Amino acid sequence: MRKLAPHLRFGNYELERRLGAGGMAEVWLAYPLAPGHPSSRVVIKVMHEHLTTEHRVVELFLEEARLAQRLVHPNIVRVFDAGQVDDEWFMAMEYVDGIDLRSATVAHGGPLWPAMAAWLFAEAAAGLHAAHGLKTPTGAPLNLVHRDISPDNLMVDREGRVRVLDFGVARAADTEHTTLTGSRKGKVRYMAPEYLIDHQASPATDVYALGASLFEVVTGHRPFEHVKGTADLHIAVATEQLPPANEVRPSLPEPLVAIIRHATHKDPRQRMGTAKAFERQLRTFLTYWPPPTPEQIGDEVRMWRQRLALERPARREAGSFGQLETTEFIRVTSLDDDTTEPRGVPLKKEMELSSPNIVLAPELEREAVRTRGKPKKSSRAKRTPPRR
């Protein structure tokens, strides 16, 4: 396998720069060379060389591409192309010029405004509902479920548009190779109890994860943040109800608190059954709590990106910028998400421990290069958790 490098031609694309790597693939920013391509830039995932000989892993990769190419919706990251260049398996997807919601909360310095968060999640729910309703070529329901919704997999761009990404762990009814035997994929804190315990996935499973992610974005605390240790975390997710969001952030409007409580009910029969129902409740809330316009949200995204780029410029060296995979396969006997996420810390503190999932704009990258390596002032004060 050849070594990938900037300005190298890769099939119908020219690689611009390496963004980082996930558990399954290396990720590059690239330019399409074919005329008339719908996007001026794309993100290319190239499978790691050591995985190309694993037949089941290649099948998973191709299954992700096959499913994702059928998902065409304004609120879903689009996959344009997939296949093999020489002996390298790749996937080319839409480049989102924005920031994921976890990093947005970090850059904001705490939880987002309730109306803004509600609007962002209503948009994400619209994308998920479209995925859930996807049909086979014969018209039969595909029964697609994402299974790995979290703030990392929800992005907002500079125009204020929300995208759901990483359908690589999605499961469909006509899929033969959706996961490895004896494993789950996802973050335990956002898993619906029925999926964690019995591997039962339905649209209500994604609704739970959306509700748990909304809980985090409006409170500034991850679900079950107080729980430490793998076994205790599994027990808590399987048996405990999330506390009312206004117990964590008392200023939250009660209607939004009720929506989150409804979406994260332990019993899927007591939960909204569809992402459309979740979206509808959020839209109703927004009629009384008007959200910012998409243009205003886009302005916030620009500010958040600049703040992260100037505060953590050296993190790009570690491959922390880009649309990277954020979840690994985890065995049923060891469903632990604490290996990739810090334990029991406020989101503001998490900025020091979690990698922002953004791509630098050229003007910000030049600024990052100029400031890289310079000592920060008052770094000790920045790392001190806020007093409660």
Side-chain angles (χ1 to χ4, degrees):
M1 180 177 285
R2 60 178 170 168
K3 182 176 177 58
L4 301 181
H7 310 300
L8 178 72
R9 176 159 184 162
F10 185 87
N12 292 323
Y13 305 93
E14 179 183 336
L15 301 181
E16 179 183 347
R17 59 183 170 89
R18 186 179 185 272
L19 299 175
M24 184 175 282
E26 191 173 345
V27 184
W28 285 77
L29 193 62
Y31 294 102
L33 299 176
H37 195 279
S39 181
S40 60
R41 290 169 117 187
V42 298
V43 172
I44 293 183
K45 293 169 66 174
V46 183
M47 183 182 290
H48 292 312
E49 180 179 6
H50 69 277
L51 296 176
T52 58
T53 58
E54 297 289 338
H55 181 64
R56 291 292 305 280
V57 176
V58 173
E59 288 176 334
L60 281 169
F61 190 80
L62 295 179
E63 185 63 35
E64 173 183 356
R66 184 182 73 83
L67 288 172
Q69 283 181 286
R70 298 172 62 179
L71 294 168
V72 181
H73 189 274
N75 298 118
I76 297 177
V77 170
R78 185 176 175 186
V79 171
F80 299 116
D81 189 14
Q84 196 172 20
V85 173
D86 297 329
D87 56 349
E88 296 164 317
W89 293 99
F90 81 97
M91 183 188 313
M93 68 181 69
E94 177 185 10
Y95 162 59
V96 181
D97 186 11
I99 186 171
D100 70 271
L101 294 191
R102 184 185 302 281
S103 298
T105 313
V106 171
H108 190 66
L112 301 187
W113 302 292
M116 174 187 278
W119 188 86
L120 295 173
F121 276 83
E123 293 289 294
L128 272 178
H129 180 67
H132 294 158
L134 197 65
K135 298 182 183 300
T136 67
T138 61
L142 192 59
N143 297 324
L144 183 69
V145 182
H146 189 288
R147 302 191 300 163
D148 191 24
I149 292 295
S150 72
D152 300 287
N153 288 335
L154 304 173
M155 293 191 74
V156 55
D157 66 17
R158 290 189 177 208
E159 282 68 51
R161 181 185 295 176
V162 177
R163 308 288 212 295
V164 181
L165 56 135
D166 195 9
F167 274 84
V169 299
R171 183 180 183 184
D174 71 342
T175 299
E176 296 180 1
H177 308 291
T178 52
T179 189
L180 298 177
T181 302
S183 66
R184 304 282 193 276
K185 197 178 179 189
K187 302 179 187 68
V188 176
R189 295 183 190 276
Y190 310 91
M191 281 186 184
E194 71 274 10
Y195 179 58
L196 176 65
I197 299 169
D198 299 321
H199 208 183
Q200 298 297 314
S202 69
T205 305
D206 284 346
V207 169
Y208 180 96
L210 271 178
S213 298
L214 179 56
F215 175 93
E216 175 174 322
V217 169
V218 298
T219 66
H221 292 266
R222 293 181 303 158
F224 304 104
E225 187 174 79
H226 64 287
V227 180
K228 297 178 174 63
T230 303
D232 289 342
L233 178 60
H234 296 166
I235 293 171
V237 172
T239 63
E240 295 181 18
Q241 184 74 37
L242 277 173
N246 55 0
E247 285 188 6
V248 183
R249 186 182 177 189
S251 61
L252 286 175
E254 179 56 40
L256 184 60
V257 174
I259 292 171
I260 296 173
R261 186 186 303 118
H262 190 188
T264 57
H265 201 288
K266 281 185 349 70
D267 185 348
R269 296 169 297 182
Q270 302 298 319
R271 206 180 300 150
M272 301 99 154
T274 66
K276 185 65 177 178
F278 184 66
E279 178 194 1
R280 191 179 298 116
Q281 290 196 23
L282 289 174
R283 301 285 187 201
T284 300
F285 168 78
L286 291 171
T287 61
Y288 300 97
W289 295 76
T293 65
E295 292 76 15
Q296 291 170 328
I297 294 175
D299 290 340
E300 290 293 322
V301 170
R302 294 182 186 91
M303 182 188 68
W304 292 334
R305 284 171 54 106
Q306 185 170 15
R307 186 176 297 170
L308 284 178
L310 296 179
E311 288 185 356
R312 306 295 293 172
R315 297 289 272 188
R316 184 173 179 273
E317 309 291 10
S320 60
F321 295 95
Q323 292 166 257
L324 305 180
E325 299 166 81
T326 55
T327 309
E328 306 297 331
F329 278 112
I330 38 184
R331 293 292 166 188
V332 174
T333 54
S334 181
L335 288 172
D336 185 7
D337 69 340
D338 286 333
T339 57
T340 56
E341 296 185 296
R343 303 181 185 183
V345 294
L347 282 176
K348 193 166 184 179
K349 175 66 175 177
E350 192 169 289
M351 181 170 62
E352 304 298 326
L353 302 169
S354 178
S355 301
N357 188 22
I358 63 173
V359 178
L360 287 177
E363 67 273 13
L364 295 181
E365 185 166 343
R366 288 192 291 271
E367 181 65 23
V369 170
R370 284 196 295 269
T371 59
R372 187 171 296 145
K374 294 183 179 180
K376 298 180 185 177
K377 296 180 180 180
S378 305
S379 60
R380 184 182 300 273
K382 287 183 180 181
R383 296 181 180 180
T384 302
R387 294 185 180 275
R388 300 192 182 278

